[in-house]
Amino acid sequence: MIHDSTATSEGWSRDVVAPAACSLRVPVRAHAGPGAHPQPCLWIPDKVQRTDSQVDSMVRGMLLLAITLLLAIYSFVPTSLAERVHCDLQHVDPSRGEVTYSTSQVSEGCVAQVANATQEVHVLFMDFPNVPQVDLTLQASKQNSTGAREVLLVLVSNKTVVVKFHAPEIPLHLAYDHNLIFFLEQPKVSSITSLQSHTSRKQILDWAAKKSAITSMATLDNPKSIILRLGQAPSAPPYCLSEAHHDMGLTLGWQPQAPTQVQGCHLKDVTGHKEAYILRVLPGSETRPRTVTVNVELSCESGDLDAILILQGPPYVSWFIDANHNMQFWTTGEYSIKIFPEKKFKGSVLPDTPQGLIGEARKLNASLIAAFVTLPLASEISLRASSCGAVPQTSPAPVLTTPPKDRCNPGLLMSLIQPKCGNDMMTLTLSKKHVQTLQCTITALTFWDSRCQAEDSDDHFVLRSTYSSCGMKVTAHVISNEVIISFLSGSPPLQKKVQCVNMDSISLQLGLYLSPYFLQASSTIKLGQQGFVQVSMSPSTSEVTVQLDSCHLDLEPEGDMVELIQSRAAKGSCVSLLSPSTDGDLRFSFLLHVYMVPTPTAGTLSCSVALKPSTFSQEVYKTVSMRLNISPDGSGKDPILPSVLGAFGAFLIGALLTAALWYIYSHTRTPSKREPVVAVAAPASSESSSTNHSIGSTQSTPCSTSSMA
């Protein structure tokens, strides 16, 4: 073998054997090909001649050196204790630990600050996996306590739901699907609008927006309780533009139906009995500063407690802690406790992974992770546990949070029982679909007389009876009975007292009068004239209370509608609710000012009346109408032109009268006694003043509505 000791251009000695590629995995004796280039190595060949054995020895030495360096570097890398802590999290028995929370985060929603709005419109879409009961509470804004605005609340559900409703005394209007949403108690609201089934989300929002600009909209997944705070959100945009994963702020808070899964584990090789409760809060859609209230209620049989509360969340979250036991707090951000609410304590930097947080608990000598929970960004969290000083009892596997198949909610079922009376018959209809959704197995649906059983139709159970059978109790105007529901599972039967108004025994009359004395009814009214309306019920009875729910006037020939009474309140400044008559007749007045082309010549006055038994909360609505003739001025002419001509005529007559008096006086007076003359045309002045007032009111149109030209 011939060796050339000359150096190459790369700086290698030709008698040195170089590897084809610089890698510890490449054999030392491998030779580089013609196009190979030397690679950086842990060793650098010099220009001194070396033998193959020397090369092998040097490579082995450098290999050992590299391994030693890697081990040394790894020993200096900070390794979290959590990586070396073994904790097999398992689901804790719900009887040993429970965590609930409320949040303002919704899957989709928006909030707006609508300028100059006279009505707030709130739309809630609720999605459920099964049939639940929802607590819905409306809270009035303190800022709007002096002048409460009307509120329209639209409720939409994908499943049958029973609502326990709480609301302040405000002008409230409800809109919902009567086939899906039922109330435990009839809400005391101004009006109720029935939404049609299978109406699309867009159609509902479009319909609500026509009432007024939408103040808030939210989509809630399986809610258990909802708090809707009325009023304007100060920092909200002027329009409600829906966004996914939206934070509703202070406008809405809700709690989910599904219980939060609580996990726990026992940390081995740790002495003592210190427990750790770890709450991990995930970031939300907005990074605004906020305070999360944490309520901790621990019950220990022995009375001894050594516990740690670890709270980890986004950096913009601070904590307000209310605990019924002395605990060690370990949090991110700042925190304060209930006994010292004004004192702020600085937190620490904590890991944001489950194992990292468990490692922090291990550092604090915790031997038991009594509760580990991961939550979305919440406004309030409640932790209740009764496992102090004991190993957590774990359930064998996570279970779905759906009610058992054989459980039937009697309250929800009985809320579906709503009787109707008419044509000498009481009728109750119960949907089979709703019964199946409630997971109830009904064997019988009867009146108090068990011989009167419901008929089984295709889609409904229908229970009906005449007023003279099946144990009916009949008074002059109210029919009552009891409904009994029997079940297959051996549960005791359910009973409910039902009542309804006998509409056949009551008649309603609607009358128009042209004076506040209500002496003679009229079917004709002039434009610009004040009308007085009376709704009377005959016979008058204390068994049934009557309220005027709404009234409107449909004008012809264009068919425009003028709202007079809406949600049991006067609509506009030209409508006044009057005191009832001595017989209890309902009364109101209105001033008809309409400027339309063509001028309306007729109309239909319609009023919706709510009738309710004095001993029952269910209302029945009945509509009464009458035909009206509308005369512009009694002769079919424009009412404004005669007013102008009358004013001009009065002025002209006054001027002529003044001139005539001056002429007579100037030609009949004594020449030596000239005195000034003051002429006052009182009748003309009075008439002119009255006419001008009429014109002024005509031009300002205080009683015109959006439906008028």
Side-chain angles (χ1 to χ4, degrees):
M1 184 174 183
I2 300 174
H3 298 278
D4 188 356
S5 60
T6 59
T8 64
S9 61
E10 291 85 0
W12 292 80
S13 177
R14 293 186 182 275
D15 56 359
V16 176
V17 180
C22 184
S23 172
L24 296 178
R25 299 178 181 271
V26 179
V28 176
R29 295 186 180 275
H31 294 272
H37 296 281
Q39 303 295 326
C41 282
L42 292 176
W43 60 280
I44 302 176
D46 54 19
K47 299 183 182 180
V48 182
Q49 181 178 356
R50 289 178 170 84
T51 63
D52 294 342
S53 61
Q54 289 175 325
V55 173
D56 292 338
S57 177
M58 183 178 62
V59 171
R60 285 194 296 271
M62 297 306 296
L63 176 60
L64 293 175
L65 178 61
I67 295 174
T68 303
L69 290 174
L70 290 175
L71 291 175
I73 294 173
Y74 182 77
S75 66
F76 286 102
V77 174
T79 303
S80 173
L81 179 64
E83 301 298 334
R84 294 179 276 119
V85 174
H86 177 71
C87 177
D88 185 15
L89 289 173
Q90 296 181 357
H91 292 276
V92 175
D93 191 322
S95 63
R96 309 292 295 181
E98 179 188 20
V99 174
T100 59
Y101 69 93
S102 60
T103 179
S104 59
Q105 307 286 318
V106 297
S107 57
E108 185 178 357
C110 60
V111 178
Q113 184 180 16
V114 182
N116 302 324
T118 58
Q119 184 181 54
E120 293 183 26
V121 178
H122 301 271
V123 185
L124 296 181
F125 295 95
M126 300 176 291
D127 295 331
F128 299 100
N130 47 55
V131 179
Q133 177 177 318
V134 177
D135 289 342
L136 175 57
T137 302
L138 303 188
Q139 292 182 353
S141 172
K142 295 181 180 179
Q143 298 177 353
N144 294 344
S145 59
T146 56
R149 296 185 298 176
E150 292 186 355
V151 175
L152 171 62
L153 177 60
V154 183
L155 300 177
V156 184
S157 175
N158 66 328
K159 294 289 181 65
T160 301
V161 59
V162 175
V163 180
K164 188 176 182 181
F165 190 67
H166 310 274
E169 294 184 359
I170 57 174
L172 176 63
H173 313 273
L174 277 179
Y176 60 94
D177 186 350
H178 289 60
N179 295 321
L180 290 177
I181 298 177
F182 301 90
F183 290 88
L184 285 179
E185 295 181 0
Q186 187 71 19
K188 297 179 180 179
V189 297
S190 301
S191 68
I192 296 177
T193 302
S194 179
L195 300 179
Q196 296 181 357
S197 301
H198 309 295
T199 306
S200 68
R201 182 188 183 95
K202 183 179 182 302
Q203 289 174 331
I204 292 174
L205 291 175
D206 290 343
W207 175 83
K210 290 180 180 179
K211 300 295 181 181
S212 182
I214 294 178
T215 307
S216 74
M217 186 279 293
T219 300
L220 307 176
D221 297 326
N222 199 18
K224 179 181 180 180
S225 63
I226 306 170
I227 296 179
L228 179 62
R229 299 174 182 89
L230 306 176
Q232 296 280 4
S235 59
Y239 302 103
C240 195
L241 302 176
S242 180
E243 296 178 349
H245 306 292
H246 186 70
D247 188 348
M248 300 293 290
L250 298 178
T251 300
L252 183 142
W254 67 287
Q255 181 180 338
Q257 291 271 358
T260 305
Q261 295 291 349
V262 181
Q263 296 178 302
C265 66
H266 189 80
L267 296 175
K268 299 180 180 179
D269 302 328
V270 180
T271 59
H273 299 286
K274 181 179 288 188
E275 300 179 357
Y277 297 86
I278 304 175
L279 301 180
R280 177 174 173 242
V281 176
L282 301 176
S285 58
E286 297 182 6
T287 59
R288 60 179 177 86
R290 68 190 71 206
T291 300
V292 178
T293 300
V294 181
N295 303 306
V296 182
E297 183 179 345
L298 304 180
S299 58
C300 306
E301 296 178 358
S302 62
D304 297 330
L305 174 65
D306 189 6
I308 312 164
L309 178 64
I310 299 178
L311 304 176
Q312 190 274 330
Y316 48 83
V317 168
S318 58
W319 314 88
F320 179 79
I321 305 173
D322 181 11
N324 68 337
H325 276 276
N326 293 328
M327 303 179 70
Q328 182 180 359
F329 303 129
W330 205 249
T331 75
T332 55
E334 292 184 343
Y335 71 93
S336 60
I337 55 180
K338 186 177 182 180
I339 57 175
F340 303 112
E342 298 179 356
K343 178 66 175 177
K344 300 289 185 181
F345 301 93
K346 287 190 176 296
S348 306
V349 178
L350 297 179
D352 59 355
T353 62
Q355 287 299 319
L357 293 172
I358 294 172
E360 292 294 325
R362 174 68 172 80
K363 288 180 182 179
L364 298 172
N365 297 323
S367 60
L368 180 68
I369 306 298
F372 184 95
V373 180
T374 299
L375 301 168
L377 187 58
S379 56
E380 184 172 0
I381 305 172
S382 296
L383 166 65
R384 299 178 182 87
S386 58
S387 61
C388 301
V391 177
Q393 298 182 7
T394 58
S395 55
V399 294
L400 296 177
T401 57
T402 55
K405 292 291 184 180
D406 57 347
R407 177 173 295 179
C408 176
N409 191 319
L412 304 185
L413 179 62
M414 299 307 287
S415 66
L416 302 178
I417 304 297
Q418 303 291 344
K420 295 182 179 180
C421 292
N423 299 325
D424 196 37
M425 185 82 65
M426 176 186 281
T427 304
L428 297 95
T429 303
L430 185 59
S431 170
K432 287 184 178 180
K433 179 182 178 181
H434 294 162
V435 174
Q436 293 174 356
T437 307
L438 289 172
Q439 302 172 351
C440 301
T441 305
I442 295 178
T443 58
L445 174 64
T446 69
F447 281 117
W448 180 81
D449 186 347
S450 59
R451 294 172 298 179
C452 302
Q453 298 189 2
E455 303 172 1
D456 189 353
S457 65
D458 293 336
D459 301 323
H460 296 82
F461 297 108
V462 181
L463 180 62
R464 60 168 62 95
S465 171
T466 60
Y467 298 158
S468 59
S469 60
C470 296
M472 295 286 179
K473 295 181 180 180
V474 182
T475 62
H477 308 290
V478 177
I479 314 298
S480 60
N481 204 325
E482 284 191 3
V483 175
I484 301 175
I485 302 179
S486 303
F487 301 94
L488 179 64
S489 59
S491 301
L494 299 177
Q495 296 181 352
K496 180 180 181 180
K497 185 177 181 179
V498 292
Q499 286 183 336
C500 56
V501 177
N502 182 8
M503 301 302 295
D504 299 334
S505 65
I506 293 177
S507 62
L508 298 175
Q509 295 85 33
L510 181 64
L512 173 69
Y513 301 82
L514 302 181
S515 74
Y517 303 105
F518 294 90
L519 297 177
Q520 184 176 358
S522 174
S523 60
T524 302
I525 187 173
K526 299 178 183 179
L527 288 176
Q529 189 175 20
Q530 189 172 20
F532 299 86
V533 180
Q534 176 173 280
V535 180
S536 57
M537 177 182 68
S538 61
S540 179
T541 174
S542 60
E543 285 188 298
V544 180
T545 59
V546 183
Q547 283 188 309
L548 200 56
D549 186 70
S550 63
C551 287
H552 63 272
L553 180 61
D554 291 313
L555 300 175
E556 298 177 5
E558 295 297 328
D560 287 354
M561 183 178 68
V562 180
E563 294 283 356
L564 301 176
I565 295 177
Q566 191 179 65
S567 305
R568 305 182 183 181
K571 188 72 173 179
S573 59
C574 62
V575 183
S576 299
L577 292 175
L578 306 177
S579 299
S581 68
T582 55
D583 296 330
D585 299 330
L586 306 176
R587 292 175 171 178
F588 72 94
S589 66
F590 69 96
L591 187 61
L592 185 60
H593 272 300
V594 180
Y595 306 124
M596 300 174 59
V597 178
T599 302
T601 57
T604 301
L605 178 63
S606 301
C607 290
S608 176
V609 181
L611 299 95
K612 183 180 69 173
S614 57
T615 58
F616 204 61
S617 60
Q618 183 182 359
E619 292 183 338
V620 179
Y621 292 87
K622 190 171 183 179
T623 301
V624 58
S625 304
M626 69 172 296
R627 181 79 173 173
L628 293 181
N629 296 318
I630 300 176
S631 174
D633 63 348
S635 60
K637 297 181 181 179
D638 193 339
I640 300 179
L641 182 59
S643 300
V644 176
L645 293 177
F648 178 75
F651 171 76
L652 184 59
I653 293 173
L656 292 176
L657 180 60
T658 302
L661 290 174
W662 173 257
Y663 177 81
I664 294 172
Y665 175 78
S666 61
H667 285 76
T668 58
R669 67 189 176 95
T670 304
S672 61
K673 294 183 180 180
R674 290 183 177 266
E675 295 180 357
V677 176
V678 179
V680 178
S685 174
S686 175
E687 184 178 358
S688 176
S689 175
S690 174
T691 307
N692 287 337
H693 175 73
S694 175
I695 294 175
S697 63
T698 300
Q699 292 173 346
S700 61
T701 62
C703 302
S704 60
T705 64
S706 58
S707 63
M708 303 178 188

